């Protein structure tokens, strides 16, 4: 089934540990995004990539890094997790023409940092 | 900075009635606005997109309006059903589609 997959589904992590959230899409979309969703704050953009090989910072990039080695994959890394990074993380992709297009979201990863 | 406001209080309506959700924004003039649906434990799903030069867009029981003077979009679900119960998010583009900002969403409950 075409779409976006994320792994893991959920994770409990000790503070200070390194963690990579995986995201893969099979729609050959140019653009990909990482959001975090917190109660009452909605979705906030962490990083984005408008095409393979390029990335950009969103609204809340501190403490996170991304890479885009190819079209399909867009991993998000927390180099040293802190409790404030406890959240639900969503990966999304879009056609990326730069004009109006819609985003397709993955199922999310629920991350708890203790 | 750009700001999107959606009613944080849940909206409770009776089955068959029309649900109306509001999205207000400030400090920006988006080229288009989108509405998404999100069910508990799932990612958002796209519903409708309306451009700045469109006043209204319809899709089946859904209708979206976009008033760029008031900086407001209204999202209507007619003949609502319990299956319409979900959180509805509005979203604005801020730089040609590569950056989108989302509202916090409004929770809708449709009672049978």
């Amino acid at each position: 089934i075409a779409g976006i997959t994320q792994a893991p589904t959920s994770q409990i992590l000790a503070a200070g540990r390194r963690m990579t959230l995986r995201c893969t899409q099979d729609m050959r979309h140019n653009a990909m995004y990482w959001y975090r969703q917190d109660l009452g704050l909605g979705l906030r953009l962490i990083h984005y990539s408008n095409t393979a090989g390029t990335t950009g910072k969103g609204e809340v990039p501190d403490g996170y890094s991304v890479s885009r080695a190819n079209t399909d994959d867009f991993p998000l890394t927390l180099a040293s997790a802190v409790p404030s990074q406890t959240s639900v993380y969503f990966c999304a992709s879009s056609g990326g023409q730069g004009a109006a297009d819609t985003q397709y979201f993955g199922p999310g990863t629920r991350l708890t940092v203790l | 900075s750009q700001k999107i406001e959606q009613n944080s209080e849940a909206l409770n309506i009776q089955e068959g009635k029309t649900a109306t959700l509001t999205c207000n924004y400030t400090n920006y003039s988006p080229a288009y606005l989108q509405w998404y649906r999100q069910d508990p434990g799932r990612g958002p799903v796209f519903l409708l997109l309306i451009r700045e030069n469109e006043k209204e867009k319809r899709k089946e029981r859904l209708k979206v309006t976009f008033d760029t003077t008031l900086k407001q979009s209204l999202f209507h679900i007619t003949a609502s059903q319990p299956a319409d119960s979900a959180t509805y998010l509005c979203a604005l583009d801020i730089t040609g589609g590569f950056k989108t900002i989302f509202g916090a969403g409004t929770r809708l409950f449709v009672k049978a």
Side-chain angles (χ1 to χ4, degrees):
Chain A
I1 297 177
I4 296 184
T5 58
Q6 291 184 239
T9 301
S10 65
Q11 182 75 43
I12 299 174
L13 189 66
R17 298 296 294 268
R18 180 185 180 89
M19 176 73 192
T20 295
L21 308 185
R22 300 184 298 278
C23 175
T24 300
Q25 55 106 355
D26 63 2
M27 296 175 282
R28 307 304 293 172
H29 283 168
N30 286 328
M32 297 187 75
Y33 315 82
W34 274 106
Y35 295 89
R36 60 177 290 173
Q37 187 173 40
D38 302 288
L39 192 63
L41 295 177
L43 288 162
R44 292 183 291 169
L45 183 66
I46 304 171
H47 285 286
Y48 68 96
S49 168
N50 56 27
T51 191
T54 66
T55 62
K57 293 182 180 181
E59 179 184 2
V60 289
D62 294 343
Y64 305 94
S65 64
V66 293
S67 62
R68 187 88 184 276
N70 57 61
T71 298
D72 298 342
D73 302 300
F74 191 42
L76 175 74
T77 297
L78 290 67
S80 180
V82 294
S84 63
Q85 292 177 311
T86 294
S87 187
V88 181
Y89 291 85
F90 288 100
C91 180
S93 72
S94 69
Q97 287 81 14
D101 58 13
T102 65
Q103 295 188 27
Y104 296 82
F105 285 82
T109 293
R110 183 174 296 274
L111 181 67
T112 302
V113 182
L114 302 176
Chain B
S1 61
Q2 297 87 7
K3 185 176 180 181
I4 301 178
E5 291 184 346
Q6 295 186 255
N7 194 339
S8 60
E9 294 183 8
L11 178 63
N12 292 278
I13 65 168
Q14 196 68 36
E15 182 177 11
K17 300 294 186 182
T18 296
T20 298
L21 287 70
T22 304
C23 176
N24 295 297
Y25 60 94
T26 59
N27 298 336
Y28 195 67
S29 298
Y32 59 88
L33 183 148
Q34 303 180 60
W35 283 89
Y36 289 77
R37 169 184 173 140
Q38 187 174 21
D39 293 286
R42 294 179 172 269
V45 175
F46 170 76
L47 295 174
L48 280 169
L49 180 150
I50 186 165
R51 300 177 188 275
E52 61 178 341
N53 60 350
E54 297 176 315
K55 296 297 184 185
E56 182 180 295
K57 183 72 73 73
R58 293 176 182 263
K59 178 182 176 182
E60 298 174 351
R61 295 183 296 110
L62 308 180
K63 184 179 82 171
V64 172
T65 62
F66 193 11
D67 189 325
T68 56
T69 300
L70 292 178
K71 294 187 180 297
Q72 180 181 78
S73 175
L74 298 179
F75 177 80
H76 307 274
I77 306 175
T78 59
S80 60
Q81 305 167 0
D84 295 326
S85 299
T87 297
Y88 292 86
L89 312 174
C90 71
L92 309 178
D93 76 300
I94 57 176
T95 50
F98 291 129
K99 285 188 182 179
T100 300
I101 53 174
F102 284 80
T106 298
R107 188 83 169 93
L108 172 67
F109 293 96
V110 180
K111 295 177 289 186

